C-alpha cells in the first residue's frame, strides 16, 4: 500500500505484487494526468485500470464515481481498483473484467485514459484506440501514455485525424486526441479519394 497526493487530497492505494507498478504511482500515468483537466460531469473510461490510480485521481478532482468505468483484463486488477475506490470514499463506479472495451456497455465517454501495455505487440493498443474512438462522444478526448512514439502517433492520427504529443525527460509520451467526427479519419480519406468530382 502507498499514498498518493492529487488535487490536495491524500489517496491510499492498495496493491499486489502481480499488478503493474505495485510500489508507487507509475511515473507515466502521473505525467498523463498532468495534461488532463477533469470536469465534474465527465463520463470517464479508465482503460486498463490496474489498481485504479486514474479513477482515484479523477474522483478526487470531482468526477462523479457513478460516471466512471474501470476495465481491465486482469480480475485481480479490477478487484483491487474497486477496493481502492471504495476505501477512498468513491462509491458507485462501474467495474468490468474483460479484454479492451469488449465488456463495456457504456457509450458517449467524454474522456478515455489509458497506459497500454506498450512493451508487447501493437494488437492491444490498436483495439484500444479504434474501439475507444467509437465509444467517445463528439468532442470527447482520448489520452494515452507510452514510451514509444512513432507507431502511436501515426495510429492515433490515422483514426482521429490529428494528435497532440507531450514528452518528458523520463522518455514518456502522452498522446491527446479529440473525436471530431463519427468516422475514422483514414476512412474519410479513402472515401474522398474514390468520390466522383
Amino acid at each position: 500500500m502507498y499514498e498518493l497526493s492529487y488535487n490536495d487530497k491524500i489517496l491510499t492505494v492498495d496493491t499486489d505484487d502481480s499488478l503493474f507498478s505495485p510500489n508507487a504511482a507509475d511515473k507515466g500515468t502521473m505525467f498523463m494526468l498532468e495534461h488532463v483537466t477533469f470536469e465534474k460531469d465527465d463520463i470517464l473510461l479508465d482503460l486498463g485500470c490496474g489498481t485504479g490510480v486514474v479513477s482515484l485521481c479523477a474522483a478526487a478532482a470531482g468526477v462523479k464515481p457513478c460516471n466512471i468505468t474501470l476495465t481491465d483484463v486482469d480480475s485481480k486488477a479490477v478487484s483491487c481498483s474497486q477496493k481502492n475506490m471504495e476505501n477512498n470514499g468513491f462509491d458507485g463506479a462501474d467495474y468490468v473484467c474483460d479484454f479492451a472495451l469488449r465488456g463495456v456497455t457504456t457509450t458517449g465517454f467524454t474522456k478515455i485514459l489509458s497506459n497500454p501495455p506498450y512493451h508487447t505487440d501493437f494488437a492491444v493498443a490498436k483495439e484500444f484506440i479504434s474501439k475507444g474512438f467509437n465509444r467517445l462522444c463528439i468532442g470527447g478526448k482520448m489520452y494515452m501514455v507510452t514510451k514509444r512514439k512513432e507507431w502511436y502517433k501515426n495510429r492515433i492520427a490515422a483514426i482521429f485525424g490529428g494528435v497532440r504529443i507531450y514528452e518528458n525527460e523520463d522518455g514518456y509520451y502522452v498522446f491527446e486526441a479529440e473525436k471530431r467526427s463519427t468516422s475514422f479519419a483514414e476512412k474519410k480519406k479513402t472515401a474522398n479519394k474514390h468520390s466522383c468530382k
Side-chain angles (χ1 to χ4, degrees), residues 150-169:
E150 291 305 315
W151 184 91
Y152 283 89
K153 178 184 77 172
N154 295 334
R155 187 64 191 167
I156 294 171
I159 298 296
F160 284 83
V163 60
R164 178 175 289 175
I165 304 171
Y166 308 94
E167 180 181 359
N168 74 1
E169 62 279 359

Side-chain angles (χ1 to χ4, degrees), residues 33-196:
L33 288 167
E34 289 177 21
H35 299 284
V36 181
T37 301
F38 292 110
E39 307 292 342
K40 183 176 67 174
D41 296 322
D42 271 333
I43 302 171
L44 175 76
L45 176 62
D46 186 351
L47 180 54
C49 63
T51 56
V53 167
V54 163
S55 294
L56 288 168
C57 292
V63 178
K64 300 170 190 169
C66 63
N67 285 343
I68 299 176
T69 299
L70 301 88
T71 185
D72 201 292
V73 71
D74 185 342
S75 60
K76 189 175 283 187
V78 175
S79 177
C80 187
S81 64
Q82 181 170 1
K83 180 180 178 182
N84 285 329
M85 287 287 281
E86 292 172 354
N87 284 350
N88 283 278
F90 305 131
D91 296 321
D94 188 26
Y95 303 90
V96 178
C97 183
D98 209 337
F99 176 73
L101 287 90
R102 293 180 188 177
V104 177
T105 57
T106 304
T107 59
F109 290 105
T110 59
K111 290 184 175 73
I112 296 176
L113 278 72
S114 183
N115 186 342
Y118 51 84
H119 294 299
T120 60
D121 66 44
F122 294 112
V124 175
K126 189 174 181 181
E127 183 151 347
F128 277 21
I129 295 164
S130 61
K131 301 301 183 187
F133 175 92
N134 290 334
R135 297 297 187 89
L136 283 167
C137 65
I138 296 295
K141 291 184 176 181
M142 173 173 273
Y143 296 85
M144 280 191 155
V145 60
T146 78
K147 278 199 166 185
R148 302 174 79 164
K149 182 179 181 182
E150 291 305 315
W151 184 91
Y152 283 89
K153 178 184 77 172
N154 295 334
R155 187 64 191 167
I156 294 171
I159 298 296
F160 284 83
V163 60
R164 178 175 289 175
I165 304 171
Y166 308 94
E167 180 181 359
N168 74 1
E169 62 279 359
D170 293 320
Y172 287 102
Y173 300 96
V174 170
F175 303 88
E176 175 188 347
E178 181 179 345
K179 181 174 179 176
R180 298 177 181 172
S181 169
T182 55
S183 59
F184 294 170
E186 62 185 8
K187 288 188 176 177
K188 285 195 294 184
K189 283 183 183 175
T190 303
N192 292 338
K193 188 176 177 183
H194 296 295
S195 62
C196 298

Side-chain angles (χ1 to χ4, degrees), residues 15-34:
T15 64
D16 184 280
D17 287 342
S18 68
L19 299 177
F20 176 65
S21 194
N23 301 315
D26 172 65
K27 289 181 180 179
T29 298
M30 298 314 295
F31 179 51
M32 174 173 63
L33 288 167
E34 289 177 21

